[in-house]
Every structure is written in structure tokens, then in C-alpha cells.
Amino acid sequence: MVGTLAREDKQNYYVDLGRAHGILPKSEIIPGEELVMGSQVKVYVSKIELGQKGGPVILLSRSHYGFVKRLLNEGIVILYSVARDPGSRSKIAVYSENEKVDAVGACIGEKGIRINNISKELNGEKIDVVEYSKDLVQFIKNALSPAKDVEVYILDDKKSEALAVAEGDNLSLAIGKKGQNVKLAARLTKCKIDVKTREQVQEEGINIYKYYEA
């Protein structure tokens, strides 16, 4: 929703939504952004609950993963999942039931215009758009982008545990700064992902040949 910042106190912003007012906790804004009283702001309704006086209390957020979903919502593209580190980076997995539609391209837009506009709304937050695949191995490979040439082995289907093997620059890209990339990829795919080099795999005696890889 779009509302107007009406007032603030130490803990919250109060947003005029027209026929109602919402509460935007300062813990739910994007880290580093500055909100100006009287300006319009896009918000995500995270919860509606009954207040002490019997009226509805509308809780708002700009850091909720659902905020990114709504910004990217489009009929021809289906958002499978979103993983977010607010103010820093988001990963979204998309697909389309229309084979002629490039779901990733539709989200990014011509010359990156669409995704750049959304990034600006998120205070410069980096957004990785990856293609969802029903094949978990391929989905994990996509989720670990920008890393390439990554081998993925499913270690345990029931526990959703996987091993990703990468070398050189692709190893650091797969892991990301302070482990951010692999953490977001794990949340996106709902699978625990361990990233190692082939040398580490051999040293630890992991027999990857008994598992399957795409």
C-alpha cells in the first residue's frame, strides 16, 4: 500500500493510509534509509490485529520479504520464493507457466530498468533474480549465482541437505561476503547448502559419487 508519513515517535512511524492508519515500526524499515514526514511511502501490511480499544491495529513493514514480492508481482511471472537481507541483498526465484515467457528477463526489464526501479525503492538493495526449477539440483545451482560451474550433490533428500563444489573465483562467489550468498541461496531453496572445494571434499573423505548430480 501507499500511505503518507503522518508522525513518529522513538519506536514507530505512523502512516496515513486514507481510511485507516498503520504503524510502521522503525525496526521494520530498510537499514540506512531516511523517511521524511509528509512524504508518501510504500509499505507492506504484515499483520492486522485487534487493538485494546477494539479497533484494528495495522502493522506495516518495508523489510519483510513480502514487500519485495509485492513490488515484483506480475501476472505472467510467478514468484516461487524470496530470501532477503534487508538493505543489502535479496534473491528471488521466479518462473512462468508460459514457455514463451522469460521469467527472469520479465522481472529485470529492458536494460534492467524494472529491477533498478525496485532496487531504488529498496534504498539501493541489490536484487538477484534467478529461475526456479523443479529439479532441486538445478535450482540450487541457479540460486548460487553469480557463481558458475558449480557441482551440486544432494546428500539427504529428507533433511534437504546439499553439497556444492566450486573452485577459484566461483568458490568465493558461491559463498559470498561473510557467507551472505550461500545463506540467501539456502533460504531461497529451503535446503541446507555446504560449499567446499574438491580438495576439501577429498580431505574429508566425502564420497560424492554415491550421490546424484545434474
Side-chain angles (χ1 to χ4, degrees):
M1 300 183 71
V2 177
T4 303
L5 290 170
R7 63 188 179 89
E8 69 172 302
D9 57 27
K10 290 183 178 181
Q11 295 183 323
N12 305 301
Y13 290 102
Y14 297 89
V15 183
D16 184 351
L17 300 172
R19 294 184 178 181
H21 282 77
I23 299 174
L24 175 61
K26 292 185 176 180
S27 60
E28 290 294 317
I29 67 171
I30 301 168
E33 74 174 344
E34 294 183 6
L35 302 182
V36 180
M37 286 300 103
S39 64
Q40 288 195 322
V41 61
K42 288 183 180 179
V43 291
Y44 177 79
V45 178
S46 59
K47 184 186 292 186
I48 299 178
E49 55 188 28
L50 195 63
Q52 293 180 349
K53 296 182 180 180
V57 175
I58 304 173
L59 297 178
L60 309 173
S61 176
R62 283 177 57 81
S63 64
H64 195 283
Y65 72 90
F67 186 52
V68 180
K69 274 191 174 184
R70 292 299 180 185
L71 290 175
L72 283 160
N73 189 36
E74 184 161 334
I76 59 173
V77 174
I78 301 172
L79 275 74
Y80 176 78
S81 59
V82 175
R84 191 177 181 199
D85 185 357
S88 178
R89 191 173 188 176
S90 285
K91 280 184 180 286
I92 67 168
V94 299
Y95 69 99
S96 177
E97 294 179 345
N98 186 335
E99 295 180 356
K100 296 181 180 180
V101 173
D102 174 5
V104 174
C107 286
I108 294 174
E110 186 176 358
K111 296 181 180 179
I113 291 177
R114 186 155 193 257
I115 204 71
N116 286 338
N117 287 338
I118 294 172
S119 179
K120 288 179 182 177
E121 178 63 37
L122 298 173
N123 200 36
E125 190 171 307
K126 181 177 174 58
I127 304 173
D128 295 337
V129 185
V130 304
E131 185 175 3
Y132 164 70
S133 174
K134 292 181 180 178
D135 179 353
L136 181 57
V137 168
Q138 186 59 52
F139 187 23
I140 292 173
K141 287 183 177 183
N142 296 346
L144 287 172
S145 66
K148 298 179 180 179
D149 301 322
V150 179
E151 298 175 14
V152 174
Y153 301 87
I154 305 300
L155 304 181
D156 192 318
D157 278 314
K158 293 182 179 180
K159 294 182 180 180
S160 296
E161 295 179 351
L163 171 66
V165 181
E167 304 291 343
D169 291 341
N170 285 318
L171 176 68
S172 57
L173 288 173
I175 296 172
K177 187 177 181 180
K178 296 182 180 179
Q180 184 188 60
N181 195 61
V182 68
K183 287 178 183 177
L184 289 176
R187 284 159 52 189
L188 192 72
T189 60
K190 300 177 178 62
C191 184
K192 181 180 178 181
I193 305 171
D194 197 5
V195 181
K196 298 181 183 293
T197 64
R198 186 164 290 276
E199 183 179 355
Q200 288 174 323
V201 169
Q202 292 174 346
E203 288 177 352
E204 294 177 22
I206 302 173
N207 182 11
I208 57 177
Y209 300 105
K210 72 176 184 178
Y211 305 108
Y212 65 87
E213 198 271 339

